[in-house]
Amino acid sequence: MHRRTPIGHRDAATAMEALNSLTAIAPLLLRNLVTSAFIFADKSFLSLAEKYRLLELLRYLVLSSFLFFLSFLPSLFPSSATPEARRRRRPRAAPPHSAACDSGIARALSQLLAIVNNVPVSSRKYEAVRSLAERLIDENQQEGTEALLEVNRTVLSAAFSRTLSQLEAAMVERSGSAAAGPNRVLRAIRSVQDVARRGRAWWSSEEPTRLGSSAEKLAAELVWLAQKLVACGSAEDAVCSWASASNLAWLAISAEPRLQGSLVKVSAFLFKQAKDMGLDEIDESKKEQQRQTRMKMLMSWLPLLCRASNGTDAPVLSLSERAELERVLEQTIEMLGQEEEQEEVLSQWLHHFMYCPSSDWPNLHASYTRWCAASRKLLLLQ
């Protein structure tokens, strides 16, 4: 095994990634913090306002001003407010503004995939619009021309990133709502936010409404979009987005079992793609980038696999699927190549594996033993 690169460079890269993630989630955290503080203050003020007319008018004025401020809060963070801004942080294989991506068929597919996010599963129109989107994707793929293949890759990648952002926002909002509890002010705030979203997103796919976009629904759609991306030859886009979703992975550990189950399925599917990614690559810089992506995948999503594989009524994955994924994880850890990175991953696994009494999977004891033997040899060679 090779010695690791200087820690200072990796720490700087890690700090930059953490800063980017913090910037991306800042509007959501700030909104929930401000909302919770306002609700607490309003509860104390409400009893007095009901007794005195002047105080009631003052309360109404403050509430209106607060709602107005809340509707403009996302605009204070323009660099992280849209999924497009997140996509620009990492390199893409295809040019983002080619003629194919600006075509009518690309816009039609983008709109259909945005509507899939927005329409509730209970609606009779949900399956119709999703089937139409699948039909367009399949027809583009069957044509086989580079322009239509590029449409599929670019639009599906954008849809995956957008759905990922919406899911993270839905989970943050849900955790904030659980802390604040339901009341009239919170319902009024959400009503104003929904109206604002509908006004901004009349038909655009850039900032869709969140009607019907429950966390469970969005997670299920991520599974579907990931499968479509891989079928269209864009597995790397999905893997890179998933590997970078460290905030979502952290939120997933304490999510509801049904939601965790969908996220385990996405993780299992994309871990397989990450292992096979770039096996024939000869460009050293590209190989290094893929190694870093695998490292982020392992560090972000191994804790969820340790803690959420049982499901509510039945295991999320079958016995054969579990065994296969264990082999994939072992091979992926071996592909890191650097002893200290393997140590980080295996230490992360051991912590969550041992402190989760309800699960004994994934069992990476063999990888841990191999790493210990290699580390011992390295020490003796020194």
Side-chain angles (χ1 to χ4, degrees), residues 14-27 29 80 86 89 168 244-247:
T14 303
M16 183 60 69
E17 181 187 341
L19 181 60
N20 287 337
S21 298
L22 183 60
T23 304
I25 203 171
L29 293 176
S80 61
R86 291 187 177 190
R89 289 178 187 153
E168 185 176 317
S244 299
S246 55
N247 289 322

Side-chain angles (χ1 to χ4, degrees), residues 34 37 107 133 160 225 238 254 256 268 282 288 307 311 360 362 365 369:
V34 172
R107 289 192 294 272
F160 188 85
L225 287 169
S254 57
E256 292 82 352
I282 58 174
E288 173 63 16
R307 293 175 176 270
D360 57 359
H365 282 100
T369 301

Side-chain angles (χ1 to χ4, degrees), residues 194-327:
D194 286 340
V195 170
R197 290 190 192 104
R198 286 193 288 271
R200 287 195 305 267
W202 175 55
W203 68 272
S204 169
S205 63
E206 294 257 336
E207 186 70 32
T209 67
R210 296 254 306 284
L211 296 175
S213 295
S214 70
E216 290 82 1
K217 172 181 177 289
L218 291 167
E221 285 165 4
L222 277 174
V223 177
W224 174 65
L225 287 169
Q227 292 169 345
K228 287 295 177 185
L229 270 170
V230 171
C232 292
S234 288
E236 189 170 347
D237 275 5
V239 168
C240 288
S241 293
W242 197 247
S244 299
S246 55
N247 289 322
L248 180 65
W250 178 75
L251 291 166
I253 291 176
S254 57
E256 292 82 352
R258 279 177 51 190
L259 176 55
Q260 286 183 331
S262 292
L263 297 177
V264 166
K265 289 178 182 177
V266 181
S267 299
F269 181 69
L270 292 180
F271 265 119
K272 296 173 189 175
Q273 310 307 317
K275 180 186 74 70
D276 297 332
M277 192 171 64
L279 291 180
D280 300 325
E281 184 64 55
I282 58 174
D283 185 338
E284 288 300 322
S285 62
K286 184 71 172 175
K287 288 170 68 175
E288 173 63 16
Q289 180 184 342
Q290 290 167 346
R291 186 192 61 77
Q292 291 176 5
T293 298
R294 292 187 183 99
M295 176 68 177
K296 289 194 290 185
M297 276 276 286
L298 290 163
M299 291 299 291
S300 293
W301 293 102
L302 258 182
L304 178 68
L305 297 185
C306 292
R307 293 175 176 270
S309 59
N310 283 337
T312 50
D313 302 320
V316 174
L317 304 175
S318 67
L319 288 176
S320 61
E321 288 172 331
R322 289 186 180 203
E324 181 187 5
L325 187 54
E326 277 184 353
R327 290 192 294 271

Side-chain angles (χ1 to χ4, degrees), residues 24-25 28 80-87 158-172 210 218 222 245 248:
I25 203 171
L28 297 167
S80 61
T82 65
E84 182 63 30
R86 291 187 177 190
R87 291 196 296 276
F160 188 85
S161 295
R162 181 181 62 245
T163 307
L164 202 58
S165 299
Q166 286 182 307
L167 175 58
E168 185 176 317
M171 291 175 70
V172 170
R210 296 254 306 284
L218 291 167
L222 277 174
L248 180 65

